Amino acid sequence: MAVNGSFASPLADAQMSAAQLSTFDTLASKAMEGINGWSVAISVFLLLVLYDQLSYIINKGSIEGPSFKLPFMGPFLDSMNPKFELYYAKWTSGPLSCVSVFHKFVVIASTRDMARKVLNSPTFVKPCVVDVARKLLRPTNWVFLDGREHVDYRKGLNGLFTRQALEAYLPGQEEVYDKYFEKFVQLTKENGGQPIPFMTHFRELMCAVSLRTFVGHYMDDDMVKKIADNYYHVTAALELVNFPIIIPYTRTWRGKKAADMVLEEFGKCAAKAKVRMAAGGDVECIMDSWIKAMQTCEEYRQKVARGEDAGEKPAMLIRMFSDYEISMTIFTFLFASQDATSSACTWLFQIAAQHPDVLDRVREENLARRDGDRTARFTMDRLENMPYTRAVVKEVLRYRPPVIMVPYMAKKPFPISDDYTAPKGSMVIPTTWLALHDPEAYPHPDTYDPERWISGDAEAQGKNWLVFGTGPHYCLGQTYALMNLIGMIGKASLELDWTHHPTPRSEEIKVFATIFPMVSLAFRCRS
């Protein structure tokens, strides 16, 4: 094959190279004249916007959602003052819908069947919370465990919510109600008998009840009040859509400071409880119950190691947890209960005032179960045998569910329907509202009707009853929550009268982690 040896490089030809280099220099100079820092920045910005839009469109696929995304932030500004109507519009837009906020793509599963599929798919999803939650709850917290680790840890907590354990917590709960019911009457008197907004007072009440249930008297009343006042910052920091990093003097920063304080106090309580339980103290709270179980298991292991007769093996053999580990776990109980029970409490008082016939039946039943003695204290037997009061509570939880959304994260591509797969890393959020307002399961779902739980078939609608979730992550404390609310409204019906004063915003639903009514009430003691 012949080789063309006549080729000459332009750079080897001095005359040609000079002419070409002159042309190249002119073109390069003109090109460089049009390039500056701003043009580069704008170009990069436009490329990032394009990438953000294309990623959103590809992830969205065929499900409902905005055709385009506001660059980068999405509907973040809407989350600064979330509106229930906007949430509802999203839920009713289709079985699956989506939004994208900052770097997070969110799939919303609105119908009963879609919600249940998410809740029952641990292979594909795991519970998650907003990015900042790991900083507040701590990265090693048990709520972030998955699979077998999570199952085993939960088993070790089941004993804290048995009937026997719940009975031990009742005196502390009723003690708190005694104090706060007197406070509600006094607040009304100080306001000249006129109604006042009570949402914040109900939040404080339920925080105090939770703390007394969780840590007993290891925490004094002043610290209970301090935590109740500051926990608002934790809730604000953990709202579903929030700024993803902690910046001083923002909601997430205040939430982190409040969480640090709560964890420190719970750690102090754990240290005190270990000493008291080792000395043979009686169980009065969840912390007592858990630590006593730890110490019993440790004693069993030591006897086995020494070759002694250890007696019957504990039903669940758990290790001795550090004060810090106990603190983190108790904090998750407060995290799970505070906003949900505060919402339920607020709705209960407002709805009971709006339905005096319902409240009269609650009083009648509670007085009968106390054999006519309205001062008789809580017992599990009494709380479990008040079907109408139970119906009143369950209907509030259905009518105004305290948990409206439960965030999960896709561990891998999740084929949630026949024609849509949620991408790996996306947030997948089942909602409870439509399941609990399904007219096929609950006729006239937008009517508050406790009777549906007595003479109707509401109890048979288990697939729709998603108040406490379903699947491997259902709420551990659901029986505690029900008994607590039954006891609260029953006791209040016997000791208090209260009136609801409607305002133009009375029926407005405020979204703050959960949902609250804009309620104004006035309380007085019953004669």
Side-chain angles (χ1 to χ4, degrees):
M1 180 178 181
V3 176
N4 183 0
S6 64
F7 174 78
S9 166
L11 294 178
D13 186 328
Q15 184 178 5
M16 185 177 183
S17 114
Q20 286 190 338
L21 284 174
S22 176
T23 302
F24 292 158
D25 286 344
T26 301
L27 292 173
S29 297
K30 289 182 178 179
M32 291 301 293
E33 286 175 3
I35 297 176
N36 55 43
W38 281 110
S39 61
V40 171
I42 291 171
S43 298
V44 171
F45 175 77
L46 291 175
L47 286 172
L48 290 174
V49 169
L50 180 62
Y51 174 79
D52 189 49
Q53 293 296 332
L54 288 175
S55 297
Y56 168 72
I57 292 169
I58 292 170
N59 287 336
K60 176 180 178 295
S62 61
I63 64 177
E64 296 294 327
S67 298
F68 299 98
K69 173 189 175 183
L70 185 66
F72 309 120
M73 66 191 305
F76 171 69
L77 295 179
D78 290 341
S79 72
M80 302 304 289
N81 184 25
K83 301 292 185 184
F84 176 79
E85 293 76 15
L86 294 179
Y87 280 124
Y88 185 75
K90 177 64 70 175
W91 301 334
T92 56
S93 66
L96 294 172
S97 59
C98 68
V99 295
S100 182
V101 182
F102 292 120
H103 63 296
K104 188 68 69 177
F105 182 73
V106 182
V107 178
I108 301 166
S110 301
T111 62
R112 180 199 71 180
D113 291 341
M114 285 296 178
R116 289 185 64 86
K117 182 164 187 177
V118 176
L119 295 168
N120 286 292
S121 297
T123 301
F124 291 98
V125 297
K126 63 179 180 179
C128 75
V129 281
V130 292
D131 293 339
V132 76
R134 287 182 177 271
K135 298 181 177 69
L136 270 64
L137 301 177
R138 301 302 188 265
T140 56
N141 200 304
W142 79 281
V143 295
F144 301 121
L145 296 177
D146 191 29
R148 174 53 56 185
E149 279 187 298
H150 175 265
V151 171
D152 290 343
Y153 202 104
R154 274 180 69 103
K155 285 180 180 178
L157 301 175
N158 286 335
L160 308 181
F161 298 97
T162 63
R163 188 182 187 279
Q164 181 181 358
L166 295 179
E167 183 95 54
Y169 313 149
L170 293 178
Q173 294 165 19
E174 191 158 18
E175 174 189 317
V176 174
Y177 288 126
D178 287 336
K179 174 184 174 181
Y180 275 85
F181 287 175
E182 288 182 11
K183 180 179 179 179
F184 292 171
V185 172
Q186 186 60 34
L187 285 169
T188 305
K189 286 181 179 178
E190 291 172 359
N191 199 46
Q194 297 302 305
I196 58 175
F198 256 90
M199 187 187 87
T200 55
H201 298 295
F202 289 142
R203 282 181 62 86
E204 182 182 326
L205 164 65
M206 298 316 291
C207 187
V209 171
S210 294
L211 291 174
R212 190 66 74 226
T213 304
F214 301 157
V215 301
H217 291 86
Y218 301 119
M219 182 178 290
D220 63 30
D221 289 345
D222 289 341
M223 182 53 65
V224 168
K225 180 70 166 65
K226 182 178 180 180
I227 291 177
D229 290 343
N230 282 274
Y231 194 85
Y232 176 93
H233 297 305
V234 176
T235 301
L238 292 174
E239 285 193 289
L240 187 59
V241 178
N242 223 328
F243 204 66
I245 59 176
I246 295 177
I247 299 174
Y249 303 104
T250 60
R251 290 193 298 182
T252 50
W253 180 80
R254 293 186 181 92
K256 176 66 163 57
K257 287 178 69 68
D260 291 347
M261 181 266 291
V262 174
L263 283 165
E264 181 181 355
E265 293 302 320
F266 283 168
K268 295 176 183 176
C269 293
K272 296 175 187 176
K274 285 180 177 177
V275 173
R276 181 171 170 273
M277 287 296 99
D282 293 331
V283 170
E284 296 180 355
C285 62
I286 282 178
M287 189 174 279
D288 285 346
S289 183
W290 196 21
I291 288 173
K292 184 174 182 178
M294 294 178 205
Q295 292 174 346
T296 299
C297 291
E298 182 64 20
E299 182 181 358
Y300 174 84
R301 277 191 291 266
Q302 289 178 2
K303 287 183 177 180
V304 170
R306 292 194 298 265
E308 300 175 5
D309 180 10
E312 185 177 353
K313 182 179 179 181
M316 184 66 190
L317 204 59
I318 59 175
R319 65 179 174 86
M320 182 64 71
F321 291 88
S322 69
D323 295 348
Y324 182 63
E325 289 173 313
I326 295 170
S327 175
M328 286 194 295
T329 299
I330 297 298
F331 190 24
T332 65
F333 292 167
L334 183 62
F335 170 64
S337 67
Q338 169 59 13
D339 295 305
T341 57
S342 296
S343 168
C345 168
T346 307
W347 285 110
L348 259 174
F349 275 105
Q350 173 167 311
I351 291 171
Q354 292 172 321
H355 297 80
D357 56 325
V358 169
L359 187 53
D360 285 343
R361 286 187 63 179
V362 169
R363 284 192 178 111
E364 180 183 341
E365 182 176 68
N366 275 263
L367 193 59
R369 289 294 179 270
R370 289 166 169 80
D371 298 321
D373 179 7
R374 70 176 189 172
T375 65
R377 309 302 278 177
F378 289 162
T379 67
M380 286 299 290
D381 280 339
R382 287 197 179 102
L383 298 180
E384 289 172 336
N385 288 285
M386 291 192 285
Y388 188 75
T389 308
R390 181 184 181 88
V392 166
V393 170
K394 292 196 73 171
E395 180 65 354
V396 164
L397 297 177
R398 182 206 66 81
Y399 179 65
R400 292 292 183 262
V403 178
I404 55 176
M405 295 177 285
V406 186
Y408 281 72
M409 186 187 74
K411 298 187 286 186
K412 56 185 176 180
F414 177 23
I416 191 171
S417 71
D418 292 338
D419 56 1
Y420 183 74
T421 297
K424 178 182 178 180
S426 61
M427 188 178 282
V428 185
I429 303 180
T431 67
T432 64
W433 186 274
L434 296 189
L436 294 165
H437 289 77
D438 180 354
E440 293 186 10
Y442 308 108
H444 309 292
D446 294 323
T447 299
Y448 177 78
D449 180 18
E451 195 62 35
R452 72 174 81 242
W453 299 92
I454 303 295
S455 57
D457 66 348
E459 288 286 1
Q461 307 302 324
K463 285 190 174 182
N464 286 72
W465 182 248
L466 297 179
V467 171
F468 297 104
T470 188
H473 295 279
Y474 74 90
C475 177
L476 268 175
Q478 58 180 301
T479 301
Y480 156 69
L482 274 174
M483 293 299 106
N484 182 23
L485 294 169
I486 289 169
M488 179 197 72
I489 198 65
K491 181 179 179 68
S493 74
L494 296 175
E495 298 182 4
L496 301 171
D497 280 319
W498 64 96
T499 53
H500 168 57
H501 292 251
T503 70
R505 301 185 67 190
S506 290
E507 297 305 313
E508 180 179 330
I509 298 176
K510 177 179 175 60
V511 180
F512 183 62
T514 177
I515 57 174
F516 292 90
M518 306 293 283
V519 61
S520 291
L521 299 172
F523 285 88
R524 66 179 179 85
C525 287
R526 285 180 64 79
S527 56

